[in-house]
Amino acid sequence: MRLTLTPRDTAIIDLLVQAANSLVDGADRLADVVRAAPDDRPELALAMRDAEHRSDEITHATMRRLNSTFVTPFDREDIYALASALDDCMDHMEAAADMLVLTRPKALPEGVGEVLAVLRRQAEETAAAMPRLATMKGLKDYWVEINRLENDADATYRDMIQDLFRGTDAMELLKVKEVIDALEAAADAFETVSHHVETIAVKES
Amino acid sequence: MRLTLTPRDTAIIDLLVQAANSLVDGADRLADVVRAAPDDRPELALAMRDAEHRSDEITHATMRRLNSTFVTPFDREDIYALASALDDCMDHMEAAADMLVLTRPKALPEGVGEVLAVLRRQAEETAAAMPRLATMKGLKDYWVEINRLENDADATYRDMIQDLFRGTDAMELLKVKEVIDALEAAADAFETVSHHVETIAVKES
Amino acid sequence: MRLTLTPRDTAIIDLLVQAANSLVDGADRLADVVRAAPDDRPELALAMRDAEHRSDEITHATMRRLNSTFVTPFDREDIYALASALDDCMDHMEAAADMLVLTRPKALPEGVGEVLAVLRRQAEETAAAMPRLATMKGLKDYWVEINRLENDADATYRDMIQDLFRGTDAMELLKVKEVIDALEAAADAFETVSHHVETIAVKES
């Protein structure tokens, strides 16, 4: 059963839209770090860190509003979980940039570019889906597509892991694995976001 | 205070029973992968993956019912947590099979067989306990036994870790560790399931 | 809106105070293990394990009371999350001691001493803050300080990671990383505790 949306309610949806938009920016900042020469990465990682701070602020604003308002557009706990899940996407993308700077692998597997493209697409799809929470229309296409993209990222991740473990350089494996584990966690986190959206949509239908 | 169980309620318990039964199957499929020769493992891992997909479908069916029904046998959030926890057991068992296929360690420590036996026993105990949610009788024995089994798995895991770190082959350590970490996570996940059952039982008593 | 605190309510706050006090003890036991000669560590790790068992018992007592009482001082789910988060701090500190014993690294980076000092301070601040849940006064200083301490631990952790990955000994990196990852997880866990306190405080204000 849908509740009528009051102005108070739309404020929370607006914050979720902002959070999702910040993920598109985050995916771009992460791609900048990866594509850069190793010596240029620390400075570009600062821009990634700024994006992560902005995402944190949006999450905090969402939580504050959630804790201080009596009327919410959906179940309070579902919004809480959704806002946390959006923030997790950014945290994992920032961790990937960070580990790249800290570990300095000699080279990255080609699959990294594919997973970055998946993350950019997941972020765009998520940003396009959040405003639809106001009407609950067209959300299924979103979560089906996010799931498909996550499967793509997972297949690429598995290929990269298999190749890494066929190598003989344990130090290099450890460096690359820190980066690709964070990328895979980011792709998973976008899928978790879509699960929370699905939960909300099923309850409202 | 116990609510009277209506037919609607038992449908959710039925789904939890199905999920737990699928874990017994999963433990068997995992043992098949481990015992096989390395070249036979990829094909056997497909059967493990099928088991995981079936478990996923049961979890989704549980969540859909949970989100669309007004009357649930226990607190909605406890059932949600229990269904997710059951699914996590399967995910970790599948990850163990998967990492074994992807990393191809030269050999596995003997302790792996012991942890597999623990997982099989935990799955059986869990499958035997789920139907008791309908009457709330005999559940304490279940969670005490699961905890005891987890302690066994943990002791074996620690022995294997100690041995691995006494070695000198970092690549081989990394390969084996991916597998035994996933096995240990599976044993932990069965204990998490039992904690959720305990929470439900304490509330209902 | 604050509820009046009845004797029943203070029992739960008392348990949270006990849990936080046990973390100060845990931080001291962990420091004992780290500072000891490698051969003396296994025995000192038993004292750490005892501290972890006491913390577990306090957590179980909190959960039991929470599941069997109708009146709680704050939202039931927030207390549940807070008690679990306190227990997680201890689990990560115990894991750090445990991995040190199991992996036997040749040497630990100097930063480990700095992170131990942060953990001791976080535990003290947490123990000092828990009784303030009865009046809700002076809690903001606490969570601001915990966040500042976590940032210190994080900066030290990142320096250690960077140094480790500049090395060439993959086995030694793996040993040290097990220990410092657990320490960093403990510092994060204290911050998670403070987030739950903040959630409670915002709702009550």
Side-chain angles (χ1 to χ4, degrees), chain A residues 10 54 57-58 79 81 84 93 106 132 162 172 205:
Chain A
T10 62
R54 283 192 297 276
E57 279 161 27
I58 299 165
I79 304 172
S84 296
M93 290 195 291
K106 282 177 220 151
R132 294 181 220 153
Q162 193 157 36
E172 187 67 9
S205 68

Side-chain angles (χ1 to χ4, degrees), chain C residues 29-80:
Chain C
R29 297 292 77 74
L30 172 58
D32 288 347
V33 176
V34 173
R35 284 195 213 104
D39 287 343
D40 297 334
R41 281 178 183 152
E43 185 159 343
L44 290 162
L46 295 179
M48 174 85 236
R49 185 159 269 218
D50 286 344
E52 193 267 331
H53 284 319
R54 283 192 297 276
S55 167
D56 262 358
E57 279 161 27
I58 298 166
T59 309
H60 279 119
T62 312
M63 299 309 182
R64 269 197 305 273
R65 180 163 278 271
L66 213 47
N67 286 328
S68 61
T69 192
F70 282 99
V71 186
T72 56
F74 326 110
D75 277 1
R76 198 177 297 270
E77 70 203 68
D78 291 329
I79 304 172
Y80 183 91

Side-chain angles (χ1 to χ4, degrees), chain B residues 54-72:
Chain B
R54 282 192 298 275
S55 168
D56 263 358
E57 279 161 27
I58 298 166
T59 308
H60 279 118
T62 312
M63 299 308 182
R64 269 196 306 273
R65 181 163 277 270
L66 212 46
N67 286 329
S68 61
T69 191
F70 282 99
V71 187
T72 56

Side-chain angles (χ1 to χ4, degrees), chain A residues 111-122:
Chain A
V112 165
E114 293 167 34
V115 178
L116 285 177
V118 165
L119 293 175
R120 180 54 152 89
R121 291 276 295 122
Q122 286 183 316

Side-chain angles (χ1 to χ4, degrees), chain A residues 41 100 108 124 126 141 148 153 159 162 183:
Chain A
R41 281 178 183 152
L100 189 52
L108 290 173
E124 285 167 31
T126 305
D141 289 350
R148 195 190 63 74
D159 287 348
Q162 193 157 36
L183 293 175

